[in-house]
């Protein structure tokens, strides 16, 4: 799929949010609303993004980095805060996350990234910066996904509902889809010349402080702590 095709692609989140707000999803303003960048963490399932996001939030510079643009979460939270359009919803959520002077961050899949671009949501901000979390070991990532999907244990504190079974087809299919998703994130950010930084999960586990400092620097902050941040997400044997 070429860049034009990627930007036109409509994912289930796009369609669900469109329906929830009766197509009132576009930012048409001529001037930005926020004087800071839109920080996006591009990820694929079981890439270790929650683990890394939790560490970044613990630096004190960021807030959020949750999957706030999943259509079911948008519907739930928009009702709770009485959003009347998607732009209004992003604005309310961003103001809430930044209430203590922290920079709001959002997790996005490649198709949620194109959804936000297509709706001009990035124009609400002074710019956009993409932190792309990925794993070198796609097999381990795929095995982790297969186990989590079968057991329901998506996080380290969740108990398994049943024992998983080896599923070659499921693992092989996931490897292909993750490789494709990672490539699409690179294509989109490169073609549109978006500020972009990769964070490799395996390297993060090996030296978290180095990656935290480098990622904060990319985001425009100087992090000088000498000890690792704490995280509510423990590293799972197969994922985090």
């Amino acid at each position: 799929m070429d860049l034009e095709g990627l930007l036109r692609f409509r994912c289930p989140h796009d369609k669900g949010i469109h329906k929830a707000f009766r197509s009132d999803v576009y930012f048409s303003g001529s001037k930005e609303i926020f004087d800071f960048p839109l920080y996006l963490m591009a990820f694929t399932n079981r890439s270790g993004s929650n683990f890394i996001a939790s560490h970044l939030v613990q630096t004190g510079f960021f807030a959020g980095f949750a999957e706030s643009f999943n259509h079911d979460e948008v519907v739930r939270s928009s009702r709770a805060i009485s959003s009347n359009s998607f732009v209004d919803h992003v604005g309310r959520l961003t103001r809430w996350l930044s209430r203590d002077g922290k920079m709001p961050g959002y997790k996005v899949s490649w198709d949620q990234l194109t959804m936000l671009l297509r709706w001009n949501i990035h124009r609400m901000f002074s710019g956009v910066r993409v932190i792309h979390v990925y794993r070198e070991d796609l097999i381990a990532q795929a095995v982790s996904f297969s186990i989590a999907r079968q057991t329901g244990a998506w996080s380290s504190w969740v108990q398994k509902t049943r024992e998983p079974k080896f599923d070659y087809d499921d693992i092989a299919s996931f490897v292909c889809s993750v490789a494709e998703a990672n490539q699409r994130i690179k294509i989109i950010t490169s073609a549109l010349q978006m500020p972009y930084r990769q964070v490799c999960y395996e390297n993060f586990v090996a030296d978290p402080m180095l990656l935290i400092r480098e990622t904060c620097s990319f985001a425009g902050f100087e992090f000088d702590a000498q000890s690792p941040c704490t995280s509510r997400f423990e590293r799972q044997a197969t994922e985090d």
Side-chain angles (χ1 to χ4, degrees):
M1 193 181 297
D2 60 15
L3 177 63
E4 185 178 351
L6 293 176
L7 292 174
R8 285 201 313 261
F9 181 82
R10 296 190 64 194
C11 63
H13 301 297
D14 176 316
K15 297 174 182 177
I17 296 171
H18 236 284
K19 181 179 180 180
F21 289 112
R22 300 179 182 177
S23 301
D24 192 357
V25 296
Y26 301 92
F27 176 65
S28 56
S30 58
K31 185 179 180 181
E32 67 202 37
I33 297 175
F34 301 103
D35 62 357
F36 50 79
L38 172 61
Y39 294 98
L40 298 176
M41 179 175 286
F43 77 106
T44 55
N45 284 320
R46 311 305 286 175
S47 62
S49 58
N50 283 336
F51 182 67
I52 293 171
S54 183
H55 278 79
L56 290 178
V57 167
Q58 289 299 314
T59 66
F61 295 125
F62 302 99
F65 278 130
E67 295 179 47
S68 303
F69 299 135
N70 288 355
H71 68 278
D72 53 347
E73 172 59 21
V74 170
V75 170
R76 184 200 66 77
S77 58
S78 65
R79 289 173 178 168
I81 61 178
S82 303
S83 306
N84 53 45
S85 71
F86 186 61
V87 170
D88 179 52
H89 183 66
V90 174
R92 288 170 183 255
L93 185 56
T94 297
R95 281 187 285 272
W96 183 78
L97 288 172
S98 63
R99 66 195 184 281
D100 295 326
K102 299 178 181 179
M103 293 295 101
Y106 301 99
K107 286 178 59 178
V108 291
S109 56
W110 77 264
D111 43 9
Q112 288 174 321
L113 173 59
T114 61
M115 176 186 79
L116 297 178
L117 295 173
R118 193 166 54 253
W119 294 349
N120 279 331
I121 299 302
H122 58 301
R123 301 296 185 190
M124 296 172 63
F125 300 80
S126 64
V128 58
R129 299 189 186 189
V130 178
I131 301 166
H132 179 191
V133 176
Y134 74 99
R135 289 184 72 164
E136 290 280 5
D137 192 342
L138 294 185
I139 300 297
Q141 184 177 352
V143 169
S144 174
F145 179 80
S146 182
I147 291 173
R149 183 157 65 175
Q150 292 182 59
T151 64
W154 292 97
S155 299
S156 54
W157 61 82
V158 178
Q159 294 296 316
K160 295 179 180 179
T161 57
R162 63 189 178 96
E163 288 301 312
K165 296 181 179 179
F166 177 75
D167 188 331
Y168 174 84
D169 291 337
D170 187 46
I171 293 170
S173 175
F174 187 78
V175 166
C176 292
S177 66
V178 167
E180 186 175 59
N182 283 330
Q183 187 61 29
R184 289 177 174 180
I185 292 168
K186 293 178 184 178
I187 290 172
I188 294 163
T189 54
S190 175
L192 299 180
Q193 298 183 326
M194 303 169 71
Y196 168 87
R197 177 172 179 80
Q198 290 183 311
V199 177
C200 173
Y201 169 74
E202 287 87 350
N203 292 343
F204 190 92
V205 170
D207 193 345
M209 292 306 297
L210 174 63
L211 270 294
I212 289 172
R213 282 194 292 269
E214 290 181 347
T215 304
C216 285
S217 178
F218 163 76
F221 306 107
E222 183 178 350
F223 183 68
D224 57 5
Q226 299 302 311
S227 58
C229 302
T230 58
S231 171
R232 70 188 183 93
F233 290 92
E234 296 179 3
R235 180 174 177 269
Q236 291 176 284
T238 58
E239 185 252 348
D240 293 344

